[in-house]
Amino acid sequence: MALSRREIAKDVLQQSTEAAIASAGHVVAILFESARKITTEIGAFGTEIFEITEASKRAGQDAEGSDPAAG
């Protein structure tokens, strides 16, 4: 049974549309994963800054408590 030109055109359009949607889905998945990784790294950086700030405060307090000129 031979396919008509209209049926072939419909199949080409359908397959092309499906391929475009699949590709767009892959791109969106990549973008979401990248955004998730960026958010994770920014959070880790914020944690490091917090820890550095706290360590600096403790070091300053320790230095004030052990300074012979202060007492």
Side-chain angles (χ1 to χ4, degrees):
M1 178 172 154
L3 297 176
S4 70
R5 285 184 169 211
R6 289 177 56 178
E7 191 170 355
I8 292 170
K10 187 260 325 165
D11 290 344
V12 168
L13 179 61
Q14 179 181 345
Q15 290 178 0
S16 298
T17 302
E18 289 173 3
I21 291 170
S23 293
H26 292 154
V27 169
V28 169
I30 291 167
L31 293 174
F32 278 127
E33 180 65 15
S34 296
R36 187 191 66 77
K37 287 180 178 182
I38 290 168
T39 301
T40 299
E41 288 302 316
I42 290 171
F45 177 69
T47 299
E48 286 185 45
I49 295 299
F50 177 76
E51 290 173 356
I52 291 168
T53 302
E54 290 298 309
S56 175
K57 287 179 185 177
R58 284 192 304 273
Q61 291 169 352
D62 288 349
E64 288 174 3
S66 65
D67 186 6

